[in-house]
Amino acid sequence: GAVVSQHPSWVICKSGTSVKIECRSLDFQATTMFWYRQFPKQSLMLMATSNEGSKATYEQGVEKDKFLINHASLTLSTLTVTSAHPEDSSFYICSARGLENTIYFGEGSWLTVV
Amino acid sequence: AQSVAQPEDQVNVAEGNPLTVKCTYSVSGNPYLFWYVQYPNRGLQFLLKYITGDNLVKGSYGFEAEFNKSQTSFHLKKPSALVSDSALYFCAAYNQGGKLIFGQGTELSVKP
């Protein structure tokens, strides 16, 4: 089956620093990837759609200068949380569109900002 | 507005009994419907999908779902629940903009 790898699984950073999360489609090419944020016991909130070779499309209310998304290749998208603050602490999940429009998810990344 | 609804926050089932996790949808056109499972501190795992064809869709780990157009439902079922099925389940559908929209999630608890 299609595999999406996300790294790192856990990251702790100091307030004011930036942190990068990578999302890779391992056995398929993904022109479109998605980044979500999830709070405990809640559903996923779509942050942005990452398109290979073009700018990401952000959902309303998501700061594009704070959550930088780059989709430089057909198998890699990155999310950089810039100038992180404790309120950015969350579970971030990426996904990629595979065959037959099925969306496959990464394992998620826990970000803790201290 | 297009939406996916999971009316139950939690479903409790005894091991060995059948389970049903409910989902209804409101999307334009022919729906693309999905079920995902999420274990604690993990990403979402794809279980099954309906795009076209037979209304009864079989997926991973013995799960199946029935697409009912008249009731706009896509309930997830399993004939005999296992304790290891305990997890958070999400129903999802594509909206007109090509984005996956999720239900609120249903926590399934299977007791021995």
Side-chain angles (χ1 to χ4, degrees):
Chain A
V3 177
V4 175
S5 172
Q6 197 171 331
H7 177 80
S9 301
W10 303 80
V11 58
I12 300 173
C13 71
K14 289 185 177 179
S15 190
T17 62
S18 297
V19 61
K20 181 186 289 186
I21 301 170
E22 293 187 346
C23 179
R24 294 179 186 274
S25 56
L26 295 186
D27 50 0
F28 66 101
Q29 293 183 329
T31 55
T32 305
M33 292 185 172
F34 304 88
W35 286 95
Y36 295 85
R37 186 171 178 176
Q38 186 181 30
F39 293 100
K41 302 278 182 148
Q42 292 189 26
S43 191
L44 281 71
M45 181 190 79
L46 179 64
M47 298 174 65
T49 301
S50 171
N51 303 298
E52 187 269 335
S54 64
K55 290 183 179 180
T57 306
Y58 289 82
E59 295 300 302
Q60 193 171 9
V62 178
E63 299 176 59
K64 60 182 180 182
D65 293 330
K66 180 166 188 62
F67 298 100
L68 299 179
I69 291 171
N70 183 275
H71 194 153
S73 77
L74 286 171
T75 59
L76 174 63
S77 174
T78 60
L79 167 68
T80 301
V81 183
T82 62
S83 187
H85 288 105
E87 57 264 32
D88 298 325
S89 299
S90 191
F91 190 51
Y92 293 88
I93 308 177
C94 74
S95 66
R97 195 196 305 274
L99 291 176
E100 293 187 339
N101 277 319
T102 301
I103 303 289
Y104 296 96
F105 288 83
E107 283 295 316
S109 299
W110 277 106
L111 170 63
T112 301
V113 184
V114 297
Chain B
Q2 299 180 72
S3 63
V4 174
Q6 292 176 242
E8 302 154 317
D9 290 336
Q10 182 148 11
V11 170
N12 298 309
V13 177
E15 188 174 31
N17 283 1
L19 69 87
T20 299
V21 183
K22 296 179 181 178
C23 172
T24 58
Y25 63 90
S26 175
V27 296
S28 303
N30 295 321
Y32 280 28
L33 300 164
F34 302 83
W35 275 102
Y36 291 88
V37 59
Q38 185 179 31
Y39 294 97
N41 300 318
R42 305 289 295 276
L44 275 67
Q45 292 181 33
F46 169 72
L47 280 179
L48 50 79
K49 67 183 177 187
Y50 172 83
I51 296 177
T52 186
D54 290 340
N55 289 342
L56 184 64
V57 178
K58 294 189 183 296
S60 306
Y61 312 120
F63 284 94
E64 57 188 31
E66 186 165 10
F67 171 65
N68 187 315
K69 190 173 183 177
S70 62
Q71 296 185 6
T72 61
S73 68
F74 190 55
H75 300 333
L76 181 70
K77 300 182 180 184
K78 187 173 182 179
S80 178
L82 300 172
V83 172
S84 57
D85 292 330
S86 299
L88 189 56
Y89 289 80
F90 289 102
C91 181
Y94 273 116
N95 68 6
Q96 255 186 328
K99 296 174 185 174
L100 204 59
I101 52 176
F102 288 89
Q104 305 94 309
T106 298
E107 185 141 14
L108 173 66
S109 177
V110 182
K111 299 292 186 188

